[in-house]
């Protein structure tokens, strides 16, 4: 079985975090959750620690920027032997089978796979 890590970078994520992390929890693939908080002012890190105990939460106490925060998660994935990493924005969510289907579609020649992103109501592609 593949070892999969989902990385979510947060900044004042309270309006979206339950839907985002909830979608990962409901994933048909077994996914570990790693959250890097970029110095939220709305209590996001404490809320995640309290309500999502299965998630690893990293709060550096400063806003590192989106790319640097993702790199912290990627370093964690490498150091802990993950086979796949899924980068998920805090205001997005995955369908139950999204990650499982990506893992099944993967071939060694592929560097990056990404699902099609849909609008919030799921009626059209999000360009």
């Amino acid at each position: 079985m593949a070892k999969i890590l989902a990385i979510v970078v947060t900044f004042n994520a309270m309006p979206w975090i339950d839907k985002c992390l909830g979608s990962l929890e409901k994933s048909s693939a077994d996914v570990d959750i790693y959250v890097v908080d970029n110095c939220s002012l709305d209590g996001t890190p404490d809320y995640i620690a309290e309500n999502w105990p299965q998630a690893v939460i990293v709060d550096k106490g400063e806003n590192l920027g989106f790319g640097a925060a993702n790199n912290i998660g990627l370093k964690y994935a490498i150091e802990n032997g993950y086979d796949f990493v899924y980068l998920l924005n805090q205001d997005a969510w995955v369908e139950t089978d999204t990650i499982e289907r990506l893992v099944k579609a993967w071939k060694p020649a592929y560097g990056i796979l990404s699902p099609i992103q849909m609008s919030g109501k799921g009626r059209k592609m999000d360009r």
Side-chain angles (χ1 to χ4, degrees):
M1 183 187 299
K3 192 172 174 184
I4 306 165
L5 182 67
I7 300 170
V8 180
V9 174
T10 57
F11 177 73
N12 295 336
M14 292 302 294
W16 312 283
I17 201 62
D18 284 327
K19 188 166 188 175
C20 176
L21 298 184
S23 74
L24 292 169
E25 184 178 69
K26 293 174 188 167
S27 175
S28 58
D30 187 22
V31 179
D32 293 337
I33 302 170
Y34 191 88
V35 178
V36 181
D37 188 74
N38 263 338
C39 204
S40 291
L41 305 173
D42 67 351
T44 295
D46 291 336
Y47 180 84
I48 293 171
E50 202 171 298
N51 295 281
W52 298 95
Q54 70 276 33
V56 173
I57 177 85
V58 176
D59 181 3
K60 294 288 188 178
E62 64 179 312
N63 190 330
L64 303 170
F66 186 73
N70 271 307
N71 285 341
I72 290 169
L74 291 167
K75 181 179 179 191
Y76 177 87
I78 292 167
E79 290 173 347
N80 289 278
Y82 283 90
D83 301 302
F84 297 97
V85 175
Y86 190 85
L87 304 179
L88 182 62
N89 288 357
Q90 68 181 12
D91 62 345
W93 61 93
V94 293
E95 297 295 330
T96 304
D97 64 346
T98 298
I99 297 173
E100 178 184 6
R101 291 177 74 181
L102 287 170
V103 169
K104 285 181 180 177
W106 180 81
K107 294 179 180 4
Y110 299 159
I112 296 174
L113 292 176
S114 177
I116 294 173
Q117 296 182 32
M118 303 297 288
S119 67
K121 294 184 181 182
R123 295 190 187 128
K124 59 182 179 178
M125 286 181 54
D126 182 5
R127 299 192 185 270

